[in-house]
Amino acid sequence: MLNVRVRPYSNPEVSFFLFIIISQLGLHTVTGVWPLPQSLTISMERYSVNPKDFNFGRNSSTQICSVLDAAFKRYFSLIFPDYISENDGLSSHDAKPFSLVVSLDHDDCEGYPNENSSERYTLIVSAGKAFLNAETVWGALRGLETFSQLVYQDYVGAFFVNKTEIEDFPRFQFRGLLLDTSRHYLPLNSILKTLDAMAYSKFNVFHWHIVDDPSFPYQSRTFPGLSDKGAFHPMTHVYTQADVRRVISHARLRGIRVIPEFDSPGHTQSWGKGQPDLLTPCFRGGIPSGIFGPINPALDSSYKFMTRLFKEVTSVFPDSYIHLGGDEVNFTCWKSNPYVQGFMQKMGFGSDYKKLESYYMENMVNITLALNKTSIVWQDLFDFHEPHRCLSVVAVWKDGCYLCEVRRVTKAGHRVILASPWYLDKPGPTHNWARYYTVWPLAFKGQKEQKKLVIGGEVCMWGEYVDAANLSPRLWPRASAAAERLWSDEKQTYSVEKALPRLQDFRCKLLRRGVQAEPLFVGHCRQEYHGI
Amino acid sequence: MMMMAVAWKKTFILLQVALLCQGLRYNDLYDDDLYSEGMYTEPAEEEETVTVRGDSEYGSLWPLPLKVQMSKVPFRLSSTGFSIVDAKESSVGASCSLLQNAYRRYYGYVFANIRGRRHEPRSSDIPELQVVITSPDSECDGYPSVTSDESYELSVGQPYAVLKAPTVWGALRGLETFSQLVYDDEYGAKSVNQTMVSDSPRFAHRGVLLDTSRHFLSIKVILANLEAMAMNKFNVFHWHIVDDPSFPYLSRTFPQLSQQGAYHPYTHVYTPADVKMIIEFARLRGIRVIPEFDTPGHTQSWGKGQKDLLTPCYSGESPSGTFGPVNPILNSTYEFMSQFFKEISSVFSDAYVHLGGDEVDFSCWKSNPDITKFMDQHGLGRDYSKLESFYIQRLLDIVTTTKKGYIIWQEVFDNGVKLKADTLIHVWKGNQQQYQAEMTRVTSSGYQALLSTPWYLNRIAYGQDWQAIYKADPQDFHGTDEQKKLVIGGEACMWGEFVDATNLTPRLWPRASAVAERLWSAKEVTDVNDAYSRLAKHRCRMVERGIPAEPLFTSFCPHEYKGV
């Protein structure tokens, strides 16, 4: 890095040009929507929207819906960020009533969003009225988000919305964001704030990489020793059952699924502290070295433990998916252990430790199948070229030709979640938003049916260098770039240049909503971030 | 001599899995081009190397003082009984509000997270930290300067802890050190071990540059970073206040500069009251505020409020409508600069002002026929660096009349402009070899030098890049001892292209802390493992004090950041 030119101002014409663009963006006169809807017609005709005379309505069959009630409350403040009270003097001169009427085809509001939930909606804004129709409440949430982005303020602070017609639905069903709460503990508030911001970008899956080698913050009711011994601190650095419920319910109200990952058999150092005999004792020179490796796959007790743990986990987390991990298993320790070697002989694995891991993972998949859950595994297991009868969803995470991998996995008939190009813990500006935007998840050779197996993607915020101090600006707005790739039509969102002004504008909206979203380049927002 | 803060012992047995590829989720190098299909390699078939990082014997001290002697004898501080007071023999008393303010601040830091019960004073308690200013002139009401004495001696023991310093500036540094010695014992009681510290900085100029033009930074963010600077014993805030994109400085003499040139004339400006507040806030922490008004380049925003200041660029025979650097051929330019810098010299109290002078693009000057004519008249030929020198020369003369010293970016020196002997040359360009050669050239010409090249902290990379920042040394270049003495310090720079209030603070800290130790501590303090242990704790301390400093690596703090 030392040799790189320092102040990126070598070309004044270019920088000044950008500067002009960005200055104009600060004006906020016309707003866009992020991520871009599938079909969008905005006319120049505009209607005033007055907070004093604005209301959310619903059609008769949508009367009782707690998710909508909560959403109306949230979105009123998001649409009218300055509105404090009835006495607020803003835009009182030409008060005309405006109502946004929501209708749902299926008025089931009690459940959780799931892999089949429709997020489709239509939004028609006309004089004094907007109609938002959706098949489900989850689609209505997406439509409310869109509507909130259509409303803008003029210079004296009056609110307006233009005549608009939108038909919208996501390109991919699975649009996830991974947080790693093991390498650094993230306070509950950081997670909740992230969920808020996810909803603004229409993400719908929170992949909670909750435990890993460094710490085990999940407080298990079946095995409390795991966090007592394995968390950074047993009182201050844990997620209680109440915390977890709060995260799930906060996410649900925003149409976000929570999929926990209990990664095994590797990445489990912290598990061993509170669960003796779970990990494989490594040997050196014929005796145990005192160091432990992955979970011991040769013991029945390991599977019994995992069964009980997953029984708890699947009851705590309502989503039908669970992430089993299975990545980066180091075989050195297994190889050193005579008992494991004996087990290999017994099972006829020879010296192929991939077979051993496959055996372990197959057991895990069966455990979760018995609990009626669909399992996601990292690609490693697939790469072993063992038969994978039970594999269902494979998360592709390795660098390199990741589309080659996507092609192979889908060819084998498995569903794919793409993560490789979206490792957001790598910092900008080398890994800037455009890099995450110009990802083409389906640009591989394959039949239509094969491509359908790509159910989506996720952005990953691994925690080696990230905690509550720098999480938000490292996530936003770069994660939003990936969000548009996963939601919007690829042909309409091909161009980085066209996306830039909309993303700039969206980033200012995020600031306005209190999200600590970092700048894309030189410029300003009318209202800057108020924290430090 | 050995000491370990008990509270940290359990928590910081940090297994640092040596950065083997399999330990991380992706290859270190993450150069996409290196990989192609089928090239994934198996993890190396060898024992994982695990190094256990112990605690530093110096606890959480950062930057490391010149001399430290620590014992294992612990004393307690009681939040009810303990106080920081002026010693009887001190040359200042309660009228020194700078110190009173600092006492209150450090008391707050030390007792921020009281969890232990209040207890009656015991014989093993230290009831007071007594502060002695030894010089008759405490400088309590003055401003810090490049010659300020920041030395201090701290003795922690019974019956009192005593902090001695010639001036208030040393006392401020000593208070910070004292606060860093305090730790929570296993019952959560505030404790401090018997310790002797004798300390003074290696370099006199230890700065942080913030850029408020590319993005506006709120007062709140600037003040928070001044707080963080004091925690790291930085003593210069280099305020790169204006540049091409915006002119947020509200000038009394030329109010139209920010009226037209700021991002917004009211919400995105620094009023005279703001500037005054920042200078005073910095003074109370022993920090100088040096403003930079960079010319003749980097001045696009100036042109909006000041007609005819910038050079009109030509496209062929006629003006193109765009403007270049400050127009060096008009008398009005120099009249403007005289008045402007007269104001600056009175608003900013420091003896130095930074005049910039970097990255002047000549293409606009070249296009302008009036400039060509002027150059002919003055025998400058077609050497535009001579024209730049002509401008800078006159500017320096103007600034000299305001009784200010000046700092300039290295280009001005490189172009051979005649400079006053006390000019500071700010080195920022090139790779290591190049900047070291530049340091040699600058000091062999007898000028004082400031180094920033290795400390452009706006440049970020994945991983522990603080280590490279830490390893750079401003006196590592070919030169005599006399030349080395001309290096008066360095600055960490945070340019604002991609940085504003949302990401500035975690991007700056604790990476700037690495610069802080290099500039304060002895040259021999280079042990990265020892530094890691201290810096990890120092970063947690900053977090506890409300600064969102980012983590060095997988770890935790007893009190995580709560701001978000």
Side-chain angles (χ1 to χ4, degrees):
Chain A
M1 286 295 283
L2 278 172
N3 302 340
V4 179
R5 225 191 113 76
V6 202
R7 294 163 73 176
Y9 264 125
S10 45
N11 188 334
E13 273 84 6
V14 169
S15 60
F16 191 58
F17 174 63
L18 279 169
F19 168 57
I20 288 171
I21 291 179
I22 289 155
S23 310
Q24 286 173 344
L25 280 171
L27 301 179
H28 280 268
T29 44
V30 173
T31 66
V33 178
W34 192 280
L36 190 70
Q38 300 286 346
S39 153
L40 164 78
T41 318
I42 301 184
S43 90
M44 294 307 286
E45 191 176 335
R46 70 175 194 178
Y47 316 113
S48 82
V49 186
N50 188 330
K52 283 184 200 164
D53 224 338
F54 176 87
N55 74 293
F56 291 106
R58 36 187 134 189
N59 70 354
S60 50
S61 67
T62 315
Q63 286 307 316
I64 303 163
C65 181
S66 58
V67 174
L68 267 190
D69 291 335
F72 290 164
K73 184 177 172 180
R74 274 200 317 279
Y75 277 103
F76 186 87
S77 305
L78 292 174
I79 294 166
F80 305 112
D82 290 338
Y83 187 71
I84 299 158
S85 73
E86 293 296 319
N87 301 323
D88 195 328
L90 286 176
S91 66
S92 52
H93 49 282
D94 59 343
K96 279 181 199 143
F98 194 100
S99 41
L100 170 59
V101 178
V102 178
S103 70
L104 304 180
D105 299 344
H106 308 288
D107 54 348
D108 174 18
C109 291
E110 298 313 306
Y112 288 87
N114 64 48
E115 56 183 313
N116 300 315
S117 297
S118 162
E119 292 170 289
R120 178 184 286 274
Y121 67 92
T122 55
L123 176 64
I124 295 166
V125 181
S126 53
K129 258 207 161 66
F131 289 103
L132 171 60
N133 174 255
E135 290 173 21
T136 69
V137 67
W138 317 119
L141 291 176
R142 305 294 167 244
L144 283 170
E145 174 58 39
T146 299
F147 180 78
S148 75
Q149 295 187 20
L150 290 172
V151 178
Y152 59 93
Q153 274 181 289
D154 71 3
Y155 267 112
V156 297
F159 294 94
F160 293 94
V161 63
N162 285 29
K163 183 177 166 67
T164 305
E165 282 185 31
I166 291 175
E167 278 218 47
D168 202 10
F169 54 88
R171 178 183 180 202
F172 292 107
Q173 179 59 43
F174 189 110
R175 306 179 308 282
L177 185 149
L178 175 151
L179 291 183
D180 170 1
T181 57
S182 173
R183 292 183 173 81
H184 284 98
Y185 176 81
L186 295 173
L188 195 61
N189 204 30
S190 283
I191 296 176
L192 300 182
K193 284 260 190 181
T194 302
L195 289 167
D196 291 348
M198 283 170 67
Y200 305 153
S201 290
K202 296 189 171 76
F203 278 106
N204 68 350
V205 175
F206 169 37
H207 172 173
W208 194 349
H209 188 84
I210 191 166
V211 299
D212 203 301
D213 283 328
S215 77
F216 196 102
Y218 173 75
Q219 202 179 62
S220 160
R221 49 186 190 226
T222 321
F223 301 103
L226 288 170
S227 63
D228 278 350
K229 299 284 198 307
F232 283 134
H233 188 286
M235 304 299 293
T236 60
H237 287 62
V238 294
Y239 302 105
T240 65
Q241 292 289 316
D243 290 340
V244 172
R245 278 198 301 273
R246 177 134 182 239
V247 167
I248 292 168
S249 122
H250 196 91
R252 170 181 168 264
L253 290 176
R254 286 152 185 80
I256 297 171
R257 303 159 59 192
V258 179
I259 299 179
E261 176 182 355
F262 286 81
D263 191 354
S264 73
H267 288 282
T268 47
Q269 288 295 309
S270 68
W271 304 39
K273 296 181 185 165
Q275 189 65 21
D277 303 329
L278 179 64
L279 303 187
T280 311
C282 313
F283 278 63
R284 187 192 289 253
I287 51 162
S289 67
I291 292 174
F292 293 88
I295 283 177
N296 195 334
L299 296 180
D300 270 350
S301 59
S302 296
Y303 300 102
K304 284 186 182 139
F305 166 82
M306 294 304 283
T307 305
R308 289 183 67 195
L309 179 70
F310 274 78
K311 209 168 177 176
E312 171 185 327
V313 166
T314 51
S315 71
V316 170
F317 292 88
D319 201 83
S320 65
Y321 279 39
I322 186 162
H323 202 305
L324 301 179
D327 60 320
E328 298 185 313
V329 180
N330 187 331
F331 297 144
T332 318
C333 184
W334 281 350
K335 282 181 191 168
S336 77
N337 182 302
Y339 188 81
V340 174
Q341 289 164 13
F343 185 76
M344 294 277 289
Q345 293 309 313
K346 196 179 108 191
M347 299 299 291
F349 293 160
S351 58
D352 188 352
Y353 285 83
K354 293 174 185 169
K355 287 203 165 82
L356 181 60
E357 193 196 338
S358 293
Y359 168 81
Y360 171 87
M361 288 307 291
E362 204 133 309
N363 273 295
M364 292 305 302
V365 171
N366 286 332
I367 288 169
T368 50
L369 266 180
L371 293 162
N372 270 326
K373 299 281 177 177
T374 304
S375 47
I376 309 174
V377 294
W378 295 111
Q379 71 177 81
D380 308 42
L381 194 58
F382 174 84
D383 295 346
F384 289 161
H385 302 297
E386 292 296 312
H388 317 282
R389 289 179 305 278
C390 317
L391 269 194
S392 43
V393 185
V394 175
V396 172
W397 67 275
K398 290 191 178 180
D399 230 334
C401 183
Y402 53 81
L403 287 181
C404 306
E405 178 77 0
V406 171
R407 187 178 171 209
R408 279 192 297 269
V409 177
T410 50
K411 203 165 185 183
H414 308 303
R415 281 172 278 171
V416 164
I417 295 162
L418 181 61
S420 307
W422 288 311
Y423 269 35
L424 288 182
D425 51 326
K426 298 174 191 174
T430 45
H431 288 70
N432 62 11
W433 72 273
R435 186 186 180 117
Y436 298 110
Y437 194 71
T438 49
V439 170
W440 322 111
L442 300 183
F444 61 90
K445 276 187 204 150
Q447 297 301 313
K448 218 173 180 182
E449 286 310 305
Q450 193 179 337
K451 298 203 173 178
K452 272 190 187 159
L453 289 170
V454 180
I455 60 170
E458 64 178 10
V459 299
C460 296
M461 184 54 75
W462 297 106
E464 281 86 350
Y465 302 99
V466 176
D467 72 2
N470 57 351
L471 171 70
S472 292
R474 202 168 278 202
L475 265 181
W476 311 109
R478 294 186 305 151
S480 307
E484 177 150 297
R485 180 59 52 237
L486 292 169
W487 177 281
S488 307
D489 177 60
E490 192 170 283
K491 285 201 191 80
Q492 295 179 55
T493 55
Y494 209 79
S495 155
V496 166
E497 289 72 27
K498 280 186 190 159
L500 175 67
R502 257 185 325 112
L503 187 56
Q504 271 284 356
D505 184 67
F506 180 64
R507 183 249 167 186
C508 289
K509 280 182 185 136
L510 290 177
L511 286 193
R512 188 91 191 261
R513 296 175 175 194
V515 179
Q516 199 176 342
E518 68 178 16
L520 301 174
F521 194 57
V522 175
H524 81 293
C525 294
R526 209 202 293 189
Q527 296 191 350
E528 303 284 1
Y529 181 67
H530 291 304
I532 57 160
Chain B
M1 279 287 289
M2 287 285 288
M3 171 269 192
M4 280 191 190
V6 183
W8 295 101
K9 204 192 237 165
K10 275 178 282 181
T11 59
F12 268 86
I13 300 173
L14 230 182
L15 290 176
Q16 201 241 347
V17 181
L19 298 174
L20 294 174
C21 299
Q22 72 261 35
L24 293 176
R25 286 215 171 245
Y26 33 78
N27 209 294
D28 250 337
L29 300 163
Y30 61 83
D31 186 342
D32 294 348
D33 303 336
L34 288 177
Y35 304 92
S36 59
E37 189 179 4
M39 271 190 64
Y40 303 128
T41 47
E42 281 289 294
E45 303 270 319
E46 55 187 75
E47 282 283 305
E48 220 167 52
T49 0
V50 176
T51 44
V52 176
R53 269 181 175 163
D55 282 346
S56 165
E57 62 176 294
Y58 299 111
S60 65
L61 286 174
W62 194 279
L64 192 68
L66 194 56
K67 285 179 199 154
V68 190
Q69 279 194 314
M70 284 173 163
S71 85
K72 284 181 177 172
V73 183
F75 302 102
R76 279 220 210 156
L77 311 178
S78 137
S79 65
T80 47
F82 182 79
S83 54
I84 306 175
V85 296
D86 297 313
K88 282 196 200 81
E89 64 267 39
S90 180
S91 66
V92 299
S95 63
C96 178
S97 64
L98 179 145
L99 278 187
Q100 297 302 322
N101 194 294
Y103 297 164
R104 192 184 59 196
R105 189 164 68 248
Y106 280 102
Y107 182 91
Y109 285 158
V110 167
F111 294 106
N113 278 292
I114 303 289
R115 281 175 298 164
R117 293 216 186 108
R118 290 181 173 186
H119 65 275
E120 292 303 308
R122 299 184 310 196
S123 58
S124 63
D125 285 355
I126 292 179
E128 280 180 358
L129 170 61
Q130 298 195 348
V131 179
V132 191
I133 305 299
T134 56
S135 157
D137 180 10
S138 70
E139 300 182 26
C140 179
D141 298 315
Y143 288 90
S145 75
V146 71
T147 55
S148 292
D149 186 344
E150 293 175 289
S151 69
Y152 66 93
E153 285 183 2
L154 178 63
S155 139
V156 177
Q158 283 191 313
Y160 302 109
V162 178
L163 169 61
K164 280 188 189 174
T167 68
V168 293
W169 314 120
L172 289 171
R173 305 297 167 239
L175 284 167
E176 176 59 38
T177 301
F178 177 79
S179 75
Q180 296 188 0
L181 291 171
V182 179
Y183 60 93
D184 292 348
D185 73 9
E186 59 249 73
Y187 304 107
K190 296 295 169 185
S191 307
V192 60
N193 286 19
Q194 186 169 333
T195 306
M196 303 283 282
V197 176
S198 172
D199 200 10
S200 58
R202 180 178 167 204
F203 293 106
H205 184 118
R206 305 180 307 281
V208 170
L209 176 150
L210 298 183
D211 170 1
T212 58
S213 173
R214 292 182 176 83
H215 285 98
F216 181 78
L217 298 174
S218 69
I219 302 292
K220 191 173 163 186
V221 167
I222 294 175
L223 299 187
N225 280 284
L226 286 168
E227 291 275 27
M229 285 171 66
M231 294 171 200
N232 290 277
K233 297 189 169 74
F234 275 110
N235 67 353
V236 174
F237 168 33
H238 174 167
W239 194 351
H240 189 85
I241 189 165
V242 300
D243 203 301
D244 284 328
S246 79
F247 196 102
Y249 173 76
L250 198 161
S251 160
R252 282 186 201 282
T253 323
F254 302 100
Q256 70 278 15
L257 286 170
S258 62
Q259 193 70 35
Q260 306 293 326
Y263 282 133
H264 188 281
Y266 300 107
T267 61
H268 287 63
V269 295
Y270 303 105
T271 66
D274 292 336
V275 173
K276 209 171 154 184
M277 195 232 284
I278 284 169
I279 292 171
E280 177 63 6
F281 192 92
R283 185 188 81 85
L284 291 176
R285 286 152 185 80
I287 298 170
R288 304 160 58 196
V289 178
I290 299 180
E292 176 180 352
F293 288 91
D294 191 354
T295 64
H298 289 283
T299 47
Q300 288 296 313
S301 67
W302 301 49
K304 295 185 183 168
Q306 188 65 23
K307 295 282 163 284
D308 301 331
L309 179 64
L310 303 187
T311 310
C313 314
Y314 278 66
S315 153
E317 300 291 302
S318 52
S320 66
T322 61
F323 294 87
V326 165
N327 194 335
I329 66 170
L330 299 180
N331 278 333
S332 59
T333 294
Y334 300 100
E335 281 158 22
F336 166 81
M337 290 294 172
S338 295
Q339 285 190 66
F340 184 75
F341 277 99
K342 198 173 162 194
E343 171 184 325
I344 297 309
S345 71
S346 69
V347 169
F348 290 90
S349 43
D350 199 81
Y352 280 84
V353 58
H354 201 303
L355 298 177
D358 60 321
E359 297 184 313
V360 183
D361 183 61
F362 295 144
S363 54
C364 184
W365 281 350
K366 283 181 188 164
S367 77
N368 183 304
D370 297 331
I371 301 250
T372 310
K373 207 161 88 190
F374 181 88
M375 288 184 69
D376 290 340
Q377 285 165 357
H378 287 75
L380 300 175
R382 288 293 170 270
D383 187 347
Y384 289 86
S385 67
K386 281 191 178 145
L387 180 62
E388 183 187 351
S389 297
F390 172 86
Y391 166 81
I392 296 271
Q393 199 69 67
R394 290 194 62 177
L395 180 70
L396 296 186
D397 293 343
I398 287 168
V399 174
T400 304
T401 66
T402 68
K403 306 270 196 304
K404 293 280 186 194
Y406 39 77
I407 309 175
I408 40 88
W409 295 111
Q410 69 178 77
E411 285 99 316
V412 180
F413 166 81
D414 296 344
N415 289 343
V417 176
K418 195 179 83 200
L419 299 163
K420 279 197 301 180
D422 63 348
T423 302
L424 303 186
I425 315 294
H426 199 158
V427 174
W428 69 276
K429 288 171 81 164
N431 59 25
Q432 185 178 0
Q433 202 185 356
Q434 289 165 328
Y435 78 71
Q436 289 179 349
E438 179 77 0
M439 294 295 279
T440 303
R441 282 192 296 272
V442 169
T443 53
S444 68
S445 309
Y447 290 109
Q448 293 180 306
L450 273 177
L451 181 64
S452 276
T453 310
W455 296 322
Y456 268 38
L457 303 189
N458 49 301
R459 283 193 257 142
I460 49 179
Y462 183 79
Q464 297 203 34
D465 63 347
W466 70 273
Q467 296 187 3
I469 296 165
Y470 187 70
K471 283 172 187 160
D473 191 301
Q475 285 178 330
D476 273 354
F477 61 86
H478 294 296
T480 61
D481 286 353
E482 284 308 304
Q483 276 176 263
K484 302 285 168 91
K485 279 185 196 155
L486 289 169
V487 180
I488 63 154
E491 290 184 359
C493 296
M494 184 54 77
W495 296 104
E497 282 85 354
F498 301 99
V499 175
D500 72 1
T502 61
N503 56 356
L504 169 75
T505 312
R507 196 167 285 198
L508 191 53
W509 310 104
R511 293 160 75 239
S513 305
V515 181
E517 176 150 300
R518 183 56 52 239
L519 294 173
W520 178 281
S521 305
K523 190 180 174 73
E524 296 73 33
V525 179
T526 52
D527 180 343
V528 171
N529 284 318
D530 185 77
Y532 181 91
S533 165
R534 287 181 293 113
L535 186 54
K537 295 169 195 174
H538 179 57
R539 140 20 225 193
C540 286
R541 178 168 45 230
M542 287 194 277
V543 166
E544 195 168 331
R545 292 177 182 184
I547 304 296
E550 69 180 16
L552 297 176
F553 191 60
T554 304
S555 64
F556 78 105
C557 296
H559 304 276
E560 301 287 359
Y561 185 63
K562 294 213 176 59
V564 177

